[in-house]
Amino acid sequence: MPGPEDTGIVVADAIAAAIHAGATTLGLATGSSPLAAYAELARRCAAGQLTFAGLQAFLLDEYVGLPADHPQAYANFIRDRLVRHVDLDPARVHGPDGTAADVLDEALRYDASITATGPVDVQVLGIGVNGHIGFNEPSSSLTSRTRIKTLTAQTRQDNARFFGSIDAVPQHVITQGLGTICEARHLVLTASGSRKAAAVAAAVEGPLSASCPASVLQWHAHATVVVDEAAAADLHAADFYRYVLAHKIADQGY
Ligand code: F6R
């Protein structure tokens, strides 16, 4: 795709197609990567082209220890950036509770709740510059379940832009595991900008390895990677991917 707005349209197309096909459960990422898609979904909802009525959603992850009203708590981030702009019932948007007294137990509870009322029909994913999805940092088990993870210094530095300083970024998170994420029926990973180019190439064309957690998409039956030209810059087979996109047959979808 030429730029981030174009990736947003394609990701929104994939979500809308799932909803029109009867999806009941969305998987939502936070961070900057999906924002163009969320803006496009809000636009379609306002235009009466799409409804989220009756759907439920699960967040990928949450910081441990942020106060419940902190604007960077992911429950608040997704409320502000998507939920309040569409007709998705806030009571049906679920995330792990990073303020729980026992966060180890909370991770297990959250994982079980996804299993009980899922599966997720379409899971939106961003990617970290080190190849993480959710907050599964490099060396995460490819079959991991929802659990506590410790953020790398790189991820805390990258997310310091949302907090003002690296010291304000929590050290721990609750994140869906790679095994949990892979139970979604359709994975849609989106990235834009040159900082993501190496991670995107490692995920799509590198070895399947815990060293690049996003490479687990190679093992999934239905995974779609939606990137702009800058994020695609290190892909060896980019010309082939463009060719495939230009020659999709009718109704093939993403
Ligand atoms: C957030 C998440 C993370 C982000 C990733 C990229 O819910 O799951 O994996 O998608 O850290 O962050 P941005 O999009 O801010 O570059």
Side-chain angles (χ1 to χ4, degrees), residues 28-35 59-63 74 77 123-137 155 158-159 161-162 175 181 190-192 195-196:
L28 301 174
T30 50
S32 55
S33 301
L35 291 180
L59 303 190
L60 276 175
D61 40 24
E62 184 57 276
Y63 292 107
Y74 280 160
F77 185 100
Q123 173 65 60
V124 180
L125 297 166
I127 183 172
V129 297
N130 63 6
H132 72 227
I133 54 173
F135 275 132
N136 294 279
E137 299 283 37
T155 298
D158 288 343
N159 288 2
R161 70 190 193 282
F162 296 116
T175 182
I181 291 168
T190 185
S192 57
R195 287 189 75 243
K196 299 290 178 69

Side-chain angles (χ1 to χ4, degrees), residues 3-251:
E5 295 75 21
D6 308 287
T7 66
I9 289 169
V10 174
V11 173
D13 284 346
I15 294 168
I19 293 174
H20 288 135
T24 60
T25 306
L26 304 179
L28 301 174
T30 50
S32 55
S33 301
L35 291 180
Y38 294 163
E40 174 64 13
L41 290 171
R43 191 195 65 73
R44 292 183 194 188
C45 201
Q49 299 164 348
L50 188 64
T51 178
F52 293 80
L55 272 73
Q56 64 172 351
F58 287 96
L59 303 190
L60 276 175
D61 40 24
E62 184 57 276
Y63 292 107
V64 169
L66 283 186
D69 61 351
H70 193 291
Q72 294 309 325
Y74 280 160
N76 298 330
F77 185 100
I78 204 72
R79 179 198 64 209
D80 293 343
R81 305 309 291 261
L82 177 65
V83 179
R84 67 169 39 151
H85 305 290
V86 298
D87 58 347
L88 187 54
D89 180 358
R92 305 201 76 206
V93 179
H94 312 292
D97 180 0
T99 69
D102 184 344
V103 287
L104 301 177
D105 194 56
E106 170 60 10
L108 298 176
R109 182 205 65 78
Y110 188 60
D111 199 274
S113 74
I114 299 170
T115 304
T117 63
V120 168
D121 290 292
V122 55
Q123 173 65 60
V124 180
L125 297 166
I127 183 172
V129 297
N130 63 6
H132 72 227
I133 54 173
F135 275 132
N136 294 279
E137 299 283 37
S139 80
S140 291
S141 160
L142 297 175
T143 61
S144 50
R145 308 301 305 185
T146 305
R147 68 214 182 289
I148 304 295
K149 289 296 284 181
T150 306
L151 295 179
T152 61
Q154 168 84 66
T155 298
R156 292 183 71 225
Q157 184 59 57
D158 288 343
N159 288 2
R161 70 190 193 282
F162 296 116
F163 286 84
S165 83
I166 186 170
D167 295 329
V169 183
Q171 288 175 318
H172 298 104
V173 292
I174 302 175
T175 182
Q176 285 190 36
L178 295 172
T180 317
I181 291 168
C182 283
E183 284 173 1
R185 290 194 166 106
H186 184 195
L187 304 181
V188 180
L189 185 148
T190 185
S192 57
S194 58
R195 287 189 75 243
K196 299 290 178 69
V200 167
V204 175
E205 296 178 340
L208 175 60
S209 166
S211 297
C212 179
S215 67
V216 78
L217 268 70
Q218 296 177 29
W219 197 246
H220 194 278
H222 189 185
T224 306
V225 175
V226 185
V227 294
D228 71 358
E229 288 293 337
D234 290 357
L235 289 167
H236 291 297
D239 284 345
F240 174 64
Y241 308 142
R242 290 188 194 96
Y243 175 84
V244 170
L245 186 62
H247 293 86
K248 278 189 173 283
I249 62 173
D251 300 327

